[in-house]
Amino acid sequence: MSLYLGLDFGTSGARSLVLDRSGTIHFQANYPFTNCSSVAEWQTALMSLIEQIPQPLRSQICAIAIDGTSSTVLLCNSDGQPVAEPILYNDARAIVVLDQVRAIVPPNHTVLSATSSFAKLIWSSQQPDFSSVRYFLHQADWLAFLLHGQLGISDYHNSLKLGYDVERLCYPDWIEALPFRDLLPRVVAPGTPIAEIDSTIADQVGLPRNCIVCAGTTDSIAAFLASGVKTPGEAVTSLGSTLVLKLVSQTRVEDSRYGIYSHRLGDLWLVGGASNTGGAVLRHFFSDAELADLSQQIPVHQESPLNYYPLLRPGDRFPVNDPHLLPWLEPRPDDRGAFLHGLLESIARIEAEGYRLLQSSGANELKRVYTAGGGAVNQPWSVIRERHLKVPVRRSRQTEAAYGTAQLAMPSSNLIPKLTA
Ligand code: ADP
């Protein structure tokens, strides 16, 4: 049997998942990080996750893909050794070079943020150890290198925030003109077979020598891919700590005012936006058990009159772009069920407003919403959301990023609609 291995490097740990072509999961495992910025620990996690796979399954793995957190980057020397600690996805040290970034890139470009890979590149270029750097890589690129031994290769999901032009499939002129342009990776489509695994590594970890290592993706796109959604008008809402919307569209939409940007999905686009509201606010007031219990008692067909903007701290970008927007959680009824009803109803209103904004900005008309994240289990909430969204709301069958990444490793999995060109 041919098996496919997906490795997901998320914010708090790494996971593995072994899949066959029919979508059956044969094995999965977890590796929680003690220090998520230690490349030594990433490497240990990678090898340990592979070695945990029972040998009879391991020997049947014919392809591997890896996803990593978007905009987690590292600078490597000519041997692929990191010359400094990686700069993590949420590290905003590059805020000090944002004016310089603004002077290089076109107005309102996606990379105009202190946490973008491009801003991190500009910041890094001004550090003393930069002269020894030969490769600027994303987390997923570097981890794949550990397996296939090829340096300087990335995919167009990880490279979006580096400024790669995912429409024309090339680096734009303003990147080509950089004096350190040579450090940037060659970019291929996610899932592209790169090379057979290095034979020494293969023997060391018990993988077949002809196992192919494929180009990866980012952790959030991998979680989207797991849902299997790929038809224009279908969307995935992630109800995790925050509220993240992703809508499959024939049109690309970019609007940095609202943090709306599009990932390429073959010949389609994945238009997304993220709000700071979501499960973190629910968790602030309710335990998960209480959420499950109280939700069952909510009269879901009745609209709650409570109209909140649930935030833990001021500021949101999507669908309301106001860095000073105040959390709005008043009036608070004594009845905790009524309070929860108001919160769920208000988050559902914000979600619906988000999809309206994506559509009015040019994305396809919303037809169906799948749900991932901790809130996906809440059936009463789905009924409330369906009332606002006015389209069917379903739970995603699969939500594990590692599942999407394992699928990415399958040849002609049709996961990413093929380029028609
Ligand atoms: P993260 O974005 O941190 O990975 P998860 O996808 O693990 O988040 O989801 C965790 C969130 O799910 C928590 O913030 C929690 O409040 C929320 N959650 C858990 N159970 C429920 C439930 N039954 N209804 C709504 N939200 C829930």
Side-chain angles (χ1 to χ4, degrees), residues 11 238-242 278-284 286-289 291-293 295 344 372-378 381:
T11 50
S238 173
L239 295 173
S241 303
T242 57
V281 185
L282 299 177
R283 188 162 273 174
H284 183 75
F286 302 94
S287 68
D288 287 0
L291 279 176
D293 186 38
S295 297
L344 297 181
V377 294
N378 192 323
W381 199 4

Side-chain angles (χ1 to χ4, degrees), residues 70-78 80-88 94 111 115-127 130 132-142 150-155 158-164 171 175 178 180-187:
S70 177
S71 291
T72 292
V73 298
L74 63 178
L75 301 149
C76 298
N77 67 15
S78 55
Q81 292 294 325
V83 302
E85 287 239 303
I87 310 180
L88 295 194
V111 304
T115 55
S116 76
S117 302
F118 185 78
K120 288 167 180 158
L121 171 69
I122 299 301
W123 180 87
S124 304
S125 71
Q126 297 168 13
Q127 304 312 306
F130 194 66
S132 59
V133 175
R134 289 293 168 273
Y135 296 97
F136 182 86
L137 297 174
H138 305 98
Q139 182 184 33
D141 314 338
W142 185 75
Q150 317 251 332
L151 277 161
I153 303 175
S154 189
D155 63 87
N158 271 298
S159 303
L160 181 78
K161 299 262 171 91
L162 182 55
Y164 184 75
Y171 281 109
I175 288 191
L178 292 174
F180 36 83
R181 150 66 188 103
D182 289 355
L183 309 185
L184 301 189
R186 175 167 73 83
V187 180

Side-chain angles (χ1 to χ4, degrees), residues 229 231-235 247-250 364-369:
V229 169
T231 308
E234 289 190 330
L247 170 59
V248 181
S249 171
Q250 284 154 308
N364 273 63
E365 185 190 338
L366 186 69
K367 298 271 173 54
R368 185 183 292 266
V369 174

